[in-house]
Amino acid sequence: MLRLLLHWILNALALLVVSHFVDGFIVSNVVSAFIAVVVIGLFNATLGLFLKIITLPLSILTFGIFFLVVNAVILWFSSKFVPGFAVTTFKAASWGAGAGCSTYAVWIFWGRG
């Protein structure tokens, strides 16, 4: 349970940091960041899984880079459902997806160390 809470906090902080540095990626407050992390997680577990299975051949051809595009789409789509969280451009969604992947990589590295 503690790992889940730490993962949630880390992702919310990543959203806040990305919103500070990337134009078009807007998180109005901390509560919106926490809600956005939950919504992104739910969409990633359902719609994201479906999209990743459908685009698997393209992801294999691009050595997994296309998964960033799928994550950017999930990020943009979830911003439509959370008040106080907005992603206005695909560039902003791509940077946010990259930050999410980087956060996950740090989490995995930290968890094993």
Side-chain angles (χ1 to χ4, degrees), residues 11 16 23 59 68 74 82 87 89 110:
N11 281 327
L16 290 169
D23 291 333
S59 295
L68 283 175
I74 293 296
V82 179
V87 180
T89 63
W110 185 55

Side-chain angles (χ1 to χ4, degrees), residues 14 18-19 33 38 69 97-99 106:
V18 170
S19 71
V38 171
V69 174
V106 167

Side-chain angles (χ1 to χ4, degrees), residues 1-11 34 107 110:
M1 186 68 172
L2 183 62
R3 290 178 61 96
L4 179 65
L5 183 63
L6 286 174
H7 195 101
W8 189 38
I9 291 170
L10 184 65
N11 281 327
F34 282 118
W107 179 258
W110 185 55

Side-chain angles (χ1 to χ4, degrees), residues 6-60:
L6 286 174
H7 195 101
W8 189 38
I9 291 170
L10 184 65
N11 281 327
L13 287 174
L15 280 180
L16 290 169
V17 167
V18 170
S19 71
H20 184 69
F21 289 109
V22 176
D23 291 333
F25 197 96
I26 302 159
V27 180
S28 63
N29 55 26
V30 176
V31 175
S32 295
F34 282 118
I35 294 171
V37 167
V38 171
V39 171
I40 291 167
L42 290 174
F43 280 144
N44 212 6
T46 55
L47 183 63
L49 179 64
F50 177 71
L51 288 175
K52 287 175 185 173
I53 289 171
I54 287 180
T55 61
L56 186 63
L58 189 57
S59 295
I60 291 171

